[in-house]
Amino acid sequence: KIGFLRNNLLISKNSTTSFPDFLGIGAQKSGTTWLYKNLRKHPQLYLPETKEIHFFDWHFYKSINWYCKHFKDADISQYKGEITPCYSILSEEKIKFIHQTNPKLKIILLLRNPIERAWSHAIMNLVKRTKREINLIENEEFIAHFNHSRSIERGDYLKIISNWKEFFPSEQIFIRDYN
């Protein structure tokens, strides 16, 4: 079922500037890659080849038209979306901008047990990215990672939900647990 993915807003009549109908905002390490791969297979949905566009966090200095060009290949009948887990911790100003751009936007938030999420995040950063064996990583490195403000912020689901609900009503926010 894709009923929660309805509504379309065009920023201009030019199809290269169509804003997405839905955003997957996270949480990080909570199944967003699985969701992306499965949604891309659905014929009524369009998601760009790149899972994480990072417009609202890393590339916000670029134009909205740059962002919307990622959706130019969508068929007129398809619902457009993207998934960037870092969007869950956007500032209230950016969430407000997103809402002003498309107040009918649907939001998808997958959650995971915060301890499991933090552990998976630490493994990604300390083991996979550094290409080290887990047994070579000191406990202090893991503890520092867990206590880092970014790790804590990504697991503060109450704040994340509260920030997004400040601008989007509950019926536009789809929240599910990662199992």
Side-chain angles (χ1 to χ4, degrees), residues 50-123:
T50 302
K51 175 192 163 210
E52 299 181 22
I53 297 173
H54 285 281
F55 174 68
F56 298 105
D57 55 347
W58 299 349
H59 301 293
F60 200 62
Y61 64 92
K62 297 181 180 180
S63 74
I64 191 81
N65 287 331
W66 173 88
Y67 175 63
C68 290
K69 284 180 183 177
H70 287 85
F71 307 99
K72 69 178 173 42
D73 293 331
D75 184 279
I76 191 91
S77 65
Q78 290 178 304
Y79 298 101
K80 299 171 298 303
E82 72 128 330
I83 298 174
T84 301
C86 292
Y87 291 170
S88 64
I89 58 171
L90 289 175
S91 69
E92 290 183 22
E93 290 132 2
K94 287 187 180 174
I95 298 170
K96 182 179 181 179
F97 171 82
I98 293 168
H99 181 264
Q100 289 171 338
T101 306
N102 183 357
K104 296 184 179 193
L105 185 74
K106 307 302 183 203
I107 308 299
I108 302 170
L109 176 62
L110 298 181
L111 301 178
R112 183 178 187 179
N113 175 305
I115 295 169
E116 292 174 10
R117 192 220 59 79
W119 179 251
S120 182
H121 186 203
I123 294 295

Side-chain angles (χ1 to χ4, degrees), residues 17 19-22 48 50 61-62 64 73 93 103 114 146 157 179:
T17 59
F19 199 79
D21 303 299
F22 65 93
T50 302
Y61 64 92
K62 297 181 180 180
I64 191 81
D73 293 331
E93 290 132 2
F146 298 140
Y157 300 148
N179 288 323

Side-chain angles (χ1 to χ4, degrees), residues 3-22:
F4 67 93
L5 300 176
R6 299 249 180 240
N7 295 317
N8 186 30
L9 174 78
L10 296 179
I11 295 171
S12 75
K13 298 233 185 251
N14 183 338
S15 64
T16 63
T17 59
S18 60
F19 199 79
D21 303 299
F22 65 93

Side-chain angles (χ1 to χ4, degrees), residues 126-138:
L126 299 175
V127 177
K128 292 179 183 175
R129 287 192 176 154
T130 64
K131 295 180 171 68
R132 294 188 290 169
E133 296 291 324
I134 194 168
N135 58 342
L136 298 178
I137 299 170
E138 299 293 326

Side-chain angles (χ1 to χ4, degrees), residues 117 151-161:
R117 192 220 59 79
S151 182
I152 293 168
E153 184 178 36
R154 292 179 199 295
D156 189 350
Y157 300 148
L158 291 177
K159 182 177 180 185
I160 290 167
I161 293 167

